[in-house]
């Protein structure tokens, strides 16, 4: 994989293979055949997630006859199913768990980010049916999958759906570290409710993005700041910002194009992004 870190001698690695679609996206991250490196030593796979509320789709445009089956965007039904599952679980009492970060601290982080998102989203819901895009990228900044955001504020269903889809394509022994601007909040939710199977949560560790880490509470930073987490090395998730920079040319096109046409355009630009990622970059 792309995470080259030493493994302790008492760690037993297990042979396995990732799905072919992941190996096609980034062989450096997903063509490895040994899995099981502990999360405390960096795990096997580092990914990052981020959302962009500039990529919107106007309601009055509608859609056109389907001519392209999106390979990178998760189906709306798949994302909504995750959302219904989360809503159902939240009606139950949360599980008891021990955490090095008090729940009150995580709640403060959540409220501060919710306030910012709600101000952005309430103004656009009347005009747009898709109000943003969430992306999941690998350690080498290559986009793997996307999910359209079609609800007010950034709900956890988008990140959970992307993670669930990723874990369905990697070996069961693969340990994944996910960087996300509110990774602390999502980690708390997964501890309180059985949103994802225990086989997944045991192989998953969260960190905040380096760019947003210092907006979190100090107690949260001690646990989730990537510069303070053992095993993360230089992973900082800044690659998502480079992705949005490459995709900026699609913002105007997406607003007035059909949904199917936008998915096809994203496929073309994503192929171009893959080629760029293979070439040496000054900032990488």
């Amino acid at each position: 994989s792309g995470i080259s870190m030493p493994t302790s001698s008492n760690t037993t690695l297990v042979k396995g293979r990732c799905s072919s679609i992941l190996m096609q996206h980034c062989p450096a991250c997903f063509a490895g055949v040994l899995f099981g490196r502990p999360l405390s030593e960096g795990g096997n796979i580092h990914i990052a997630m981020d959302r962009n509320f500039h990529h919107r789709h106007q309601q009055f445009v509608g859609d056109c006859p389907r001519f392209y089956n999106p390979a990178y965007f998760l189906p709306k039904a798949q994302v909504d199913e995750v959302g219904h599952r989360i809503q159902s679980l939240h009606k139950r009492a949360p599980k008891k768990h021990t955490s090095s970060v008090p729940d009150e601290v995580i709640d403060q982080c959540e409220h501060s980010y919710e306030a910012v998102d709600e101000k952005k989203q309430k103004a656009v819901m009347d005009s747009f049916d898709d109000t943003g895009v969430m992306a999941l990228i690998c350690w080498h900044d290559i986009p793997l999958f996307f999910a359209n955001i079609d609800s007010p504020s950034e709900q956890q269903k988008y990140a959970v759906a992307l993670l669930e889809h990723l874990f369905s394509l990697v070996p069961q022994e693969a340990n994944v570290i996910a960087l996300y601007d509110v990774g602390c909040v999502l980690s708390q939710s997964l501890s309180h409710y059985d949103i994802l199977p225990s086989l997944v949560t045991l192989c998953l560790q969260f960190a905040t993005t380096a760019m947003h880490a210092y907006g979190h509470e100090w107690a949260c930073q001690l646990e989730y700041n990537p510069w303070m987490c053992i095993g993360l090395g230089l992973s900082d998730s800044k690659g998502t910002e480079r992705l949005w920079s490459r995709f900026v040319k699609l913002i105007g096109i997406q607003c007035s194009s059909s949904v199917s046409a936008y998915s096809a355009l994203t496929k073309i630009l994503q192929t171009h992004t893959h080629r760029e990622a293979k070439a040496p970059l000054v900032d990488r």
Side-chain angles (χ1 to χ4, degrees), residues 17 36 47 49 59 63 70 73 75 78 82 106 125 134 156 211 227 229 233-234 246 264 270-271 277:
R17 280 196 176 276
I47 58 97
M49 297 181 293
Q59 288 183 1
D63 202 353
F73 278 85
Q78 181 177 347
V82 174
I106 303 297
M125 283 304 298
M134 175 165 277
Q156 292 182 348
M211 181 178 295
W227 299 137
C229 294
L234 298 177
R246 294 180 181 121
Q270 190 170 25
T271 302

Side-chain angles (χ1 to χ4, degrees), residues 51-258:
R51 75 279 190 273
N52 188 312
F53 291 125
H54 294 288
H55 292 273
R56 306 166 182 167
H57 183 259
Q58 294 179 338
Q59 288 183 1
F60 71 86
V61 175
D63 202 353
C64 67
R66 183 169 296 276
F67 65 92
Y68 172 72
N69 187 26
Y72 298 96
F73 278 85
L74 300 189
K76 174 177 170 56
Q78 181 177 347
V79 178
D80 288 344
E81 188 279 327
V82 174
H84 295 324
R85 187 199 317 159
I86 293 175
Q87 289 181 349
S88 176
L89 290 170
H90 279 184
K91 295 177 181 178
R92 307 176 186 176
K95 297 188 302 181
K96 294 183 179 180
H97 77 290
T98 56
S99 174
S100 56
V101 183
D103 287 346
E104 295 77 10
V105 173
I106 303 297
D107 291 341
Q108 291 180 14
C109 295
E110 181 179 14
H111 294 327
S112 62
Y113 276 86
E114 277 183 348
V116 174
D117 284 347
E118 286 179 0
K119 290 180 181 178
K120 290 180 180 178
Q121 290 296 87
K122 285 182 178 179
V124 301
M125 283 304 298
D126 293 338
S127 303
F128 299 89
D129 47 12
D130 289 328
T131 59
V133 173
M134 175 165 277
L136 185 150
I137 69 171
C138 75
W139 194 81
H140 298 92
D141 305 349
I142 294 177
L144 303 177
F145 302 107
F146 298 89
N148 279 319
I149 298 175
D150 58 2
S151 57
S153 75
E154 178 189 352
Q155 297 183 2
Q156 292 182 348
K157 66 178 182 180
Y158 305 106
V160 173
L162 288 168
L163 286 171
E164 191 173 64
H165 191 64
L166 174 69
F167 271 93
S168 71
L169 301 173
V170 300
Q172 182 176 321
E173 296 79 13
N175 290 321
V176 178
I177 296 180
L179 287 87
Y180 181 34
D181 55 3
V182 284
C184 56
V185 178
L186 186 52
S187 177
Q188 179 200 50
S189 294
L190 296 181
S191 299
H192 282 162
Y193 305 97
D194 294 324
I195 298 172
L196 290 173
S198 59
L199 289 177
V200 171
T201 55
L202 290 174
C203 299
L204 178 62
Q205 176 182 329
F206 285 97
T208 59
T209 59
M211 181 178 295
H212 295 91
Y214 299 101
H216 288 255
E217 299 295 318
W218 176 241
C220 174
Q221 290 188 44
L222 293 175
E223 180 72 16
Y224 293 101
N225 188 327
W227 299 137
M228 301 181 183
C229 294
I230 298 175
L232 262 70
L234 298 177
S235 295
D236 56 16
S237 83
K238 291 180 181 178
T240 55
E241 303 305 324
R242 288 188 280 267
L243 173 69
W244 301 133
S245 177
R246 294 180 181 121
F247 275 26
V248 69
K249 61 188 73 175
L250 288 182
I251 292 176
I253 300 174
Q254 181 187 8
C255 284
S256 56
S257 67
S258 67

